[in-house]
Amino acid sequence: MFHTKDYSGPRDEQQTAVLSQLRALIHDEPNTIANLANASALLNFYLEDINWVGFYLYDGNELVLGPFQGLPACIRIPMGRGVCGTSAERRETLRIQDVHAFPGHIACDAASNSEIVIPIVKDDKLLGVLDIDSPLQGRFDEEDQQFLEHFVDILTQQL
């Protein structure tokens, strides 16, 4: 059974607790959808000032909406389009402080102003991306990026 934690105290201790909870949630669970659903719920519970968190899965051609928390979202994203498609194509994390200034930004939620997207790659194969939106401009910093990349690394080991 999952027990919520009070995420108080230093940021690094909070992040360590979330990573520990992720490990416990996905331990010995082989179902990808279940693991991604719990991972998005965990991040939605932990992260402040976000309005969408979830996964887009690569189907060999484009990104397709996977488990998420938030308002209904774009279902398909072509490779190289928007922040998600660009991150997936480049296989690199994109931290966008103002999505409206990003060329080709796909606005699934008009309330989103900043975004971070982390590609999910295993054995040099693209599996998808973790996408997180915020209504605040400049919401995501370097420490968020490092934490979320570590989060994805842990998750990827179970996928």
Side-chain angles (χ1 to χ4, degrees), residues 27-77:
H27 179 72
D28 287 337
E29 177 50 61
N31 187 281
T32 297
I33 299 300
N35 286 333
L36 295 178
N38 270 335
S40 63
L42 178 61
L43 287 175
N44 189 58
F45 183 74
Y46 166 67
L47 294 171
E48 295 179 354
D49 299 318
I50 65 165
N51 58 319
W52 201 91
V53 56
F55 297 91
Y56 281 92
L57 305 176
Y58 183 58
D59 71 357
N61 184 43
E62 62 189 346
L63 297 171
V64 180
L65 182 64
F68 70 94
Q69 302 278 311
L71 293 177
C74 302
I75 296 172
R76 297 180 180 275
I77 299 176

Side-chain angles (χ1 to χ4, degrees), residues 44 49-54 56 68-74 77 83-84 96-102 105-117 131-140:
N44 189 58
D49 299 318
I50 65 165
N51 58 319
W52 201 91
V53 56
Y56 281 92
F68 70 94
Q69 302 278 311
L71 293 177
C74 302
I77 299 176
V83 180
C84 288
I96 308 302
Q97 302 303 326
D98 178 1
V99 295
H100 307 291
F102 188 86
H105 169 65
I106 300 169
C108 295
D109 182 347
S112 295
N113 287 306
S114 63
E115 184 172 6
I116 187 167
V117 179
D131 178 25
I132 306 173
D133 295 355
S134 173
L136 304 179
Q137 284 196 352
R139 159 61 181 89
F140 304 103

Side-chain angles (χ1 to χ4, degrees), residues 133-153:
D133 295 355
S134 173
L136 304 179
Q137 284 196 352
R139 159 61 181 89
F140 304 103
D141 62 17
E142 179 68 30
E143 191 173 347
D144 291 315
Q145 180 174 335
Q146 290 174 1
F147 162 68
L148 293 166
E149 288 173 343
H150 192 185
F151 188 94
V152 165
D153 287 343

Side-chain angles (χ1 to χ4, degrees), residues 5-22:
K5 288 196 176 259
D6 176 21
Y7 297 115
S8 59
R11 191 172 177 191
D12 63 327
E13 289 178 15
Q14 293 176 39
Q15 292 172 346
T16 298
V18 171
L19 296 175
S20 176
Q21 287 178 314
L22 175 64

